[in-house]
Amino acid sequence: MSLQNNPMWTQLAEREKRLVIGLVIFLVIMAFYSLVWSPIHSQYSQQKSALQKAETEWLWLVEQAPKVIQSPRGTQLAAHSKTALMDSLQKSLRQQNLLQFTEGLKLTNRGIKVRFEEVDAPRLFRWIGVLEQQGLTAKSMKLTPISDGLTQAELLYEVVK
């Protein structure tokens, strides 16, 4: 059905016809802007800011890399045997007052598994940090949050060859 054959269209004055056509053009432009251009532009802006943030973080990491390489490691834990590893872990657990929270230190084929059923998370992370500063890192770590500040943990430390 054509507009020219529509009785409502033919009754409109020439000025009103131009206003209706102008309104239709305006509505098409606004629909294009709101449905196509605006989402693309906002997504572009978000991605651009995310890229800038990633670049800043990358530059910071590049600056930090030489500092990490140059930093002294402190005293290394003697963990060349399972017994030495067990002694080191027990000693550090005692120093951090975490020994009472352990479900046990279990010998495995390649190292020692430390299991906590319910432990204060900040104290656990402090203990892990101390061990890492001394050069002993966990081969695997499984943490399950129990409630605010409490976690269940299972860490596997292996003997250094």
Side-chain angles (χ1 to χ4, degrees), residues 44-97:
Y44 170 76
S45 298
Q46 289 174 353
Q47 294 299 323
K48 190 174 180 180
S49 66
L51 175 65
Q52 289 174 345
K53 181 182 177 195
E55 286 175 347
T56 353
E57 289 175 357
W58 175 254
L59 291 174
W60 181 82
L61 283 171
V62 168
E63 288 176 8
Q64 299 305 313
K67 295 176 186 175
V68 170
I69 293 171
Q70 294 171 357
S71 68
R73 270 300 206 172
T75 59
Q76 294 288 321
L77 286 176
H80 298 288
S81 70
K82 288 183 183 179
T83 56
L85 179 61
M86 179 72 83
D87 291 341
S88 299
L89 289 173
Q90 285 178 340
K91 181 181 175 188
S92 65
L93 283 167
R94 255 187 250 104
Q95 288 173 346
Q96 296 293 324
N97 292 324

Side-chain angles (χ1 to χ4, degrees), residues 23-42:
L23 177 64
V24 169
I25 291 172
F26 175 76
L27 290 175
V28 167
I29 291 171
M30 288 307 296
F32 173 78
Y33 176 79
S34 64
L35 296 174
V36 177
W37 179 257
S38 182
I40 289 173
H41 184 67
S42 65

Side-chain angles (χ1 to χ4, degrees), residues 77-130:
L77 286 176
H80 298 288
S81 70
K82 288 183 183 179
T83 56
L85 179 61
M86 179 72 83
D87 291 341
S88 299
L89 289 173
Q90 285 178 340
K91 181 181 175 188
S92 65
L93 283 167
R94 255 187 250 104
Q95 288 173 346
Q96 296 293 324
N97 292 324
L98 287 173
L99 194 57
Q100 71 246 14
F101 297 107
T102 60
E103 287 294 313
L105 279 71
K106 181 181 176 185
L107 289 173
T108 63
N109 290 340
R110 301 178 68 194
I112 297 173
K113 186 180 285 188
V114 183
R115 180 165 165 67
F116 298 94
E117 192 60 40
E118 188 176 303
V119 65
D120 184 46
R123 289 175 65 188
L124 175 70
F125 294 136
R126 199 172 317 120
W127 173 68
I128 293 170
V130 167

